[in-house]
């Protein structure tokens, strides 16, 4: 019974939620930065993807920093998908921070502080340090346990060897505990950091590859280290400036990283950190990795935020800023002036603008095929054709939302493949924007606080006053 429960809980941890952009794996470009028709979850938007690919390549080469890019286009044309593709293409080494414009107004700190923290999350510091490491293959571990528990500490000996030498080390209680925690046994190749005492299991020695009892599907085999047991190794740590800020801003700063309760960080702390990082750079101990900060719904920022961004992009350690909006000519928040995309002209002048075009019917069909596969739904060709037509007439997002709904409708009638009738059924159950608006126009007078009711009440009031 216990085994059954354990396997159930393990299976539950493997469940992954399918998000709106979980099918995106990259930008879908070849080595010459030419966009493939369908690749890595991306479809269409060839010119926008190519432009994004050029930006990504420059980020990887470390050629640009402090630049800003605008992704502009109608709703549902893949702006966030391109930003997600850029994040996946850049890789884990380069910091990528995401932020929605509306988030700044719901945080407990000032807008400029929230933007500054987001900026510093997108700037990485690669710190190099030399450390003394003992690296070798475990020949034998002997642990002497006291006859009466608790009277004396455990002691022991461990024999380590390389291809050239073999040494016996005395073990203390802490080292024995660390070895048992890592489940180290004879035949394992391990590395011990002398400064911290941390033990890293590198794998099993090739000489033990025939010991089938000690093998599992995840067993990794490595060569027995050569040279001396004690070596100097260069260790590289990658952290963001924001993480350094938080750790140094309070006594329990390291814990604040996990709780998310960072609060406002004083400018003096940041200045000291910037000075120290600049020293490390000159000494060759560290290098700056400018990352990417993506701000969605940039039209939600106000004039103060845009003024801050203007100044922040001129900083030596500024990341690459990517912003996205679906607005046309609209009012700049915090002013009565109108501007393209709701962005001030002086800030627009800094931006490289990438525009996204509406998807064609063929593109919509390909995107729906990818989403159907991602959501693990079996669907007939006729149902896919109907869903594509709905995507063209209503919107792509609406059509994507109907996939899971249609699958549930099919499940209810105990079918295995989603047919046209299932799609039609959910189409009638859930309205799209156009049909919902049409319904509102027809029955507007029956809703509370509608324009028709307000105008009728004003007319009644005017008649009463005149009489």
């Amino acid at each position: 019974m216990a085994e059954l429960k354990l396997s159930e809980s393990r299976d539950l941890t493997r469940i992954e939620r399918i998000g709106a952009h979980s099918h995106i794996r990259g930008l879908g470009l070849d080595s010459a930065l030419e966009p493939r028709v369908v690749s890595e979850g991306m479809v269409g938007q060839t010119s926008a993807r190519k432009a994004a690919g050029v930006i990504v390549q420059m980020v990887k080469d470390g050629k640009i920093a402090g630049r800003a890019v605008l992704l502009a286009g109608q709703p549902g044309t893949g702006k966030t998908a391109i930003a997600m593709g850029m994040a996946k293409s850049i890789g884990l080494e380069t910091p990528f921070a995401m932020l929605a414009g509306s988030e700044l107004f719901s945080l407990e700190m000032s807008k400029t502080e929230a933007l500054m923290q987001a900026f510093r999350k997108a700037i990485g510091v690669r710190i190099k340090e030399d450390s003394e490491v003992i690296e070798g293959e475990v020949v034998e571990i002997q642990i002497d346990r006291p006859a009466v528990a608790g009277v004396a500490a455990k002691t022991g000996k461990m024999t380590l060897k390389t291809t050239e030498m073999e040494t016996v080390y005395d073990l203390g209680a802490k080292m024995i505990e660390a070895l048992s925690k890592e489940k180290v046994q004879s035949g394992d190749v391990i590395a011990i950091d002398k400064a911290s005492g941390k033990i890293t299991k590198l794998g099993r020695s090739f000489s033990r590859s025939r010991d089938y009892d000690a093998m599992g599907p995840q067993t990794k085999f490595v060569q027995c280290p050569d040279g001396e047991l004690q070596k100097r190794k260069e260790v590289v740590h990658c952290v963001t400036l924001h993480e350094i800020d938080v750790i140094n801003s309070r006594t329990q700063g390291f814990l604040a990283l996990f709780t998310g309760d960072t609060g406002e960080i004083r400018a003096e702390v940041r200045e000291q950190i910037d000075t120290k990082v600049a020293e490390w750079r000159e000494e060759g101990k560290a290098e700056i990795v400018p990352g990417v900060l993506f701000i969605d719904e940039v039209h939600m920022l106000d004039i103060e935020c845009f003024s801050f961004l203007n100044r922040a992009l001129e900083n030596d350690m500024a990341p690459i800023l990517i912003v996205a909006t679906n607005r046309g000519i609209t009012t700049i928040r915090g002013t009565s002036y109108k501007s393209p995309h709701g962005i001030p002209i002086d800030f627009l002048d800094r931006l490289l603008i990438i525009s996204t075009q509406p998807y064609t019917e063929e593109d919509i069909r390909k995107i729906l095929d990818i989403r159907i596969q991602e959501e693990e739904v079996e669907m007939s060709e006729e149902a896919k054709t109907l869903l594509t037509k709905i995507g063209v007439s209503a919107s792509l997002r609406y059509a994507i939302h109907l996939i899971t709904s249609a699958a549930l409708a099919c499940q209810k009638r105990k079918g295995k493949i989603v047919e046209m009738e299932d799609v039609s059924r959910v189409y009638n159950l859930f309205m799209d924007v156009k049909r919902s608006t049409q319904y509102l126009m027809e029955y507007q007078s029956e809703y509370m606080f509608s324009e028709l009711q307000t105008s009728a009440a004003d007319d009644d009031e005017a008649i009463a006053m005149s009489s």
Side-chain angles (χ1 to χ4, degrees):
M1 192 68 187
E3 283 178 21
L4 182 67
K5 282 181 182 174
L6 185 66
S7 65
E8 279 177 7
S9 65
R10 277 181 187 159
D11 289 337
L12 280 170
T13 56
R14 289 198 202 106
I15 295 169
E16 288 181 16
R17 293 193 64 182
I18 298 166
H21 298 102
S22 56
H23 61 285
I24 305 291
R25 313 270 187 270
L27 284 170
L29 305 173
D30 60 19
S31 55
L33 298 182
E34 286 297 324
R36 301 187 191 98
V37 182
V38 181
S39 178
E40 296 180 327
M42 297 295 281
V43 175
Q45 303 297 356
T46 50
S47 59
R49 279 160 55 201
K50 191 172 181 178
V54 172
I55 299 290
V56 165
Q57 196 57 47
M58 287 195 284
V59 171
K60 282 181 177 175
D61 295 345
K63 295 280 175 67
I64 59 168
R67 304 289 179 87
V69 180
L70 170 65
L71 295 169
Q74 299 100 309
T77 52
K79 297 180 293 298
T80 310
I82 288 171
M84 294 291 284
M86 289 175 83
K88 294 280 171 74
S89 301
I90 284 167
L92 297 172
E93 282 290 302
T94 309
F96 188 97
M98 289 187 80
L99 181 76
S102 51
E103 273 181 56
L104 298 178
F105 300 92
S106 57
L107 295 168
E108 292 176 355
M109 60 184 84
S110 66
K111 295 171 285 189
T112 50
E113 173 63 21
L115 276 172
M116 178 55 89
Q117 288 194 13
F119 256 71
R120 290 176 79 86
K121 277 178 190 171
I123 304 163
V125 183
R126 207 174 277 140
I127 303 164
K128 301 169 190 169
E129 64 172 357
D130 286 335
S131 64
E132 292 277 341
V133 177
I134 297 167
E135 196 175 270
E137 181 187 328
V138 179
V139 179
E140 187 185 14
I141 300 175
Q142 289 178 335
I143 296 168
D144 302 323
R145 290 178 175 82
V148 182
V151 174
K154 289 181 191 174
T155 55
K157 289 182 179 181
M158 177 172 64
T159 311
L160 283 180
K161 71 164 187 179
T162 64
T163 51
E164 293 175 17
M165 62 185 292
E166 188 172 305
T167 309
V168 178
Y169 291 94
D170 290 326
L171 301 175
K174 280 189 179 178
M175 193 58 82
I176 290 168
E177 192 182 330
L179 287 166
S180 58
K181 195 176 177 184
E182 288 291 323
K183 294 180 179 152
V184 174
Q185 54 186 347
S186 58
D188 287 341
V189 176
I190 62 167
I192 305 168
D193 188 330
K194 276 192 82 176
S196 63
K198 187 188 171 191
I199 295 170
T200 310
K201 202 165 161 183
L202 304 175
R204 294 269 311 158
S205 172
F206 273 114
S207 60
R208 302 296 184 104
S209 59
R210 294 188 181 275
D211 296 356
Y212 299 112
D213 294 343
M215 274 175 60
Q218 305 300 318
T219 305
K220 179 184 169 189
F221 288 102
V222 291
Q223 291 283 2
C224 178
D226 54 2
E228 291 193 10
L229 276 162
Q230 196 164 312
K231 297 168 186 167
R232 286 187 74 82
K233 274 200 169 183
E234 190 180 75
V235 181
V236 179
H237 307 282
C238 292
V239 290
T240 66
L241 278 179
H242 176 67
E243 287 167 351
I244 302 172
D245 291 347
V246 173
I247 290 166
N248 287 281
S249 66
R250 53 182 68 195
T251 50
Q252 295 292 326
F254 194 71
L255 292 173
L257 279 176
F258 297 100
T259 59
D261 179 27
T262 56
E264 297 212 6
I265 296 163
R266 295 197 318 276
E268 301 85 60
V269 174
R270 289 202 175 108
E271 281 172 21
Q272 287 171 3
I273 287 162
D274 288 349
T275 309
K276 194 69 187 170
V277 169
E279 279 177 31
W280 289 344
R281 281 174 73 186
E282 285 175 18
E283 292 168 12
K285 286 182 183 175
E287 57 181 286
I288 298 293
V289 186
V292 176
L293 171 62
F294 174 60
I295 303 177
D296 209 351
E297 303 170 353
V298 74
H299 52 268
M300 292 299 292
L301 302 186
D302 61 12
I303 194 77
E304 293 170 29
C305 295
F306 286 119
S307 301
F308 174 83
L309 290 174
N310 256 330
R311 177 71 189 85
L313 284 171
E314 290 172 355
N315 196 335
D316 293 342
M317 293 198 291
I320 289 143
L321 178 67
I322 298 173
V323 296
T325 180
N326 55 21
R327 297 292 196 270
I329 294 169
T330 185
T331 309
I332 302 166
R333 188 169 177 173
T335 71
S336 56
Y337 299 106
K338 289 199 170 183
S339 173
H341 313 297
I343 300 170
I345 298 295
D346 61 334
F347 187 65
L348 263 177
D349 196 36
R350 291 178 179 272
L351 301 172
L352 292 167
I353 301 170
I354 300 173
S355 64
T356 53
Q357 307 301 322
Y359 287 111
T360 62
E361 189 173 338
E362 189 184 347
D363 289 342
I364 288 172
R365 173 60 189 261
K366 285 172 184 170
I367 292 166
L368 287 171
D369 282 342
I370 291 167
R371 288 303 302 178
I372 288 163
Q373 190 179 347
E374 180 75 11
E375 295 181 27
E376 296 177 353
V377 173
E378 291 281 329
M379 193 176 283
S380 67
E381 286 300 312
E382 294 82 8
K384 285 180 184 177
T385 307
L386 177 58
L387 208 56
T388 307
K389 284 179 181 171
I390 291 168
V392 173
S393 63
S395 75
L396 174 61
R397 282 176 180 157
Y398 175 69
I400 287 170
H401 289 154
L402 292 185
I403 295 170
T404 309
S405 310
L408 289 169
C410 169
Q411 202 177 322
K412 196 173 180 186
R413 66 173 178 82
K414 294 180 180 169
K416 289 188 178 177
I417 297 174
V418 176
E419 300 290 350
M420 277 179 70
E421 61 184 276
D422 301 312
V423 177
S424 303
R425 188 178 173 196
V426 292
Y427 178 74
N428 292 324
L429 279 173
F430 305 106
M431 283 188 173
D432 60 276
V433 177
K434 287 179 186 173
R435 285 185 294 155
S436 180
T437 310
Q438 194 178 341
Y439 179 83
L440 277 176
M441 296 291 281
E442 284 177 26
Y443 298 99
Q444 193 174 195
S445 58
E446 295 178 25
Y447 281 81
M448 285 184 71
F449 308 118
S450 69
E451 286 183 12
L452 287 176
Q453 278 186 335
T454 311
S455 59
D458 289 345
D459 292 344
D460 292 344
E461 195 177 329
I463 293 163
M465 284 177 74
S466 61
S467 61

